Amino acid sequence: MHLCLITHEYPKTGFAHGGIGSFLKTFAPKLVAQGVKVTVLGLSYDYQDDYQEDQGVQIYRLGYKNVKWLSWYFGLKAMNKKIAQIHKELPIDIIESAELELAFLNKLPGVKYVIRLHGGHHFFAEAENRKINFWKGFQEKLSFKKADAFISVSEYVKTHTKKFLSFNNKQVALICSPIDVDFFSPTAILAKQHSIVFVGTVCEKKGVRQLIQSFPIIKEKFPNSTLEIYGRDWLFPNGKSYIEMLQETEIPKLGSSAKDVFFRGPVNYEVIPEVYAKAQVCVFPSHMETQGLVAPEAMAMEKLVIFTNQGPGPETITSFENGLLCNPFDVEDIAEQIIWAFSNEEKVAVICKKARQSVIDKYALATIIQENIDFYTKLIS
């Protein structure tokens, strides 16, 4: 079986990536280990052709012309040309992409096209209370029409996407994104007392602003608390940095607490377990998620995770059993959950043990990889 993944987000050392990149880094090499040929195809970061092999995964990043208003056209042209070349050398069985990417790809006879629902334009536009961009909305609808089947990473993203886009009576399989429970496992690294850690893109929909606003409330109870924020910055349409906005508008409001808030920037995938290990509590108060990888990753390391009660949060955590849930729009509730975690270490220890087991039961890599292989095999047979 030859699987071609269309994505620009496969991690590359020295470049920041998000949740899809983490998923691919876990997913693709394990498919190769099970005998699946995996090719990754996307556009390069610097308009230069780039080839990399990662544990048997062949990764092509294509250079294209940076021409105002036409870069998308030249990028698409390069993608279609390379797909045809790859298919000629070793026939592709399945092409898989996120929601938008199939829109203008040429369909090859005999190849099945799959969209994995990571959360597309319609999904997040509604979540962020913004209008649908006509061009992106058009592409997404066209992409959905080309798909032969869909994979949803949570029940929530499936039902929520269906409110805006048609699956055109095609199969929609529910397969969670996998967690490598060997890579993300308990370590001997001691957590820093009363340390709060966030990992993810630093943007509004991840709840970072509300987390920062909750910090003074926590400091009243636990004066030595620290808040460490790891992840890539997000830019507004005008190019302004979201982190700079926080530093200008929110950090000054913290008073003396401001000195204990640290923006650590993005970290390579290989370092993330160490980041979780040093945290006493990991907090991810997202306004919206499709599944969310950081929560089960940290849970697999037996860390106390406070996750959002929105979207798929309750699919991952049952509050006070394998973690805690918070209202990401309620600053006091975020603070209350963190204060409870710091105040109940014995109960937290029990929750953390259950957290890892719940991840093994639902997200274990070997199980999820086999579910994907079974889905692909059935689709092409």
Side-chain angles (χ1 to χ4, degrees), residues 151-341:
I151 298 173
S152 178
V153 299
S154 69
E155 184 62 35
Y156 180 78
V157 72
K158 172 184 173 181
T159 56
H160 201 66
T161 299
K162 194 175 181 180
K163 290 168 58 178
F164 308 102
L165 294 163
S166 172
F167 294 126
N168 302 299
N169 297 315
K170 303 293 177 61
Q171 179 185 3
V172 186
L174 176 58
I175 307 177
C176 298
S177 296
I179 303 298
D180 189 337
V181 295
D182 294 324
F183 184 65
F184 294 104
S185 61
T187 73
I189 298 173
L190 294 177
K192 180 182 176 183
Q193 187 180 39
H194 301 156
S195 57
I196 305 161
V197 166
F198 167 90
V199 178
T201 302
V202 184
C203 62
E204 185 67 18
K205 70 184 178 184
K206 294 295 185 179
V208 182
R209 183 168 58 87
Q210 287 85 359
L211 177 57
I212 290 172
Q213 290 172 345
S214 75
F215 193 53
I217 304 174
I218 300 160
K219 292 285 278 187
E220 289 180 8
K221 296 283 187 178
F222 297 93
N224 64 335
S225 298
T226 57
L227 173 56
E228 307 208 24
I229 299 169
Y230 292 85
R232 62 181 178 180
D233 197 2
W234 181 86
L235 301 180
F236 290 96
N238 64 4
K240 183 176 177 62
S241 157
Y242 188 82
I243 291 177
E244 287 181 7
M245 182 277 290
L246 292 174
Q247 290 171 330
E248 292 171 1
T249 63
E250 299 299 332
I251 299 300
K253 298 176 185 177
L254 302 182
S256 61
S257 299
K259 64 179 175 48
D260 292 318
V261 178
F262 305 96
F263 292 93
R264 300 300 193 188
V267 291
N268 289 334
Y269 180 81
E270 294 77 13
V271 182
I272 294 176
E274 182 180 343
V275 171
Y276 294 144
K278 292 179 179 178
Q280 184 170 345
V281 59
C282 298
V283 186
F284 313 115
S286 300
H287 300 173
M288 181 59 61
E289 289 282 0
T290 53
Q291 173 188 313
L293 291 174
V294 289
E297 285 173 356
M299 291 164 68
M301 296 190 65
E302 295 186 358
K303 307 306 295 186
L304 192 284
V305 170
I306 301 174
F307 198 24
T308 178
N309 66 4
Q310 304 292 302
E315 293 182 47
T316 303
I317 286 179
T318 300
S319 217
F320 297 101
E321 288 190 17
N322 61 344
L324 301 178
L325 296 174
C326 70
N327 180 345
F329 303 103
D330 187 337
V331 170
E332 291 188 359
D333 187 51
I334 295 171
E336 183 179 314
Q337 303 305 319
I338 296 172
I339 290 169
W340 186 92

Side-chain angles (χ1 to χ4, degrees), residues 67-124:
V67 180
K68 189 175 182 180
W69 306 116
L70 291 175
S71 291
W72 70 272
Y73 169 77
F74 289 110
L76 176 67
K77 186 176 179 180
M79 293 282 288
N80 276 316
K81 182 178 179 181
K82 189 64 178 179
I83 290 171
Q85 178 187 335
I86 292 169
H87 186 59
K88 184 177 181 180
E89 293 174 357
L90 181 64
I92 298 168
D93 296 298
I94 296 171
I95 289 179
E96 179 183 311
S97 78
E99 284 86 343
L100 210 70
E101 307 300 336
L102 297 184
F104 300 116
L105 290 185
N106 299 329
K107 289 203 74 173
L108 300 173
V111 177
K112 296 295 184 180
Y113 290 74
V114 174
I115 289 176
R116 192 175 298 259
L117 304 176
H118 289 289
H121 179 68
H122 284 82
F123 180 90
F124 281 115

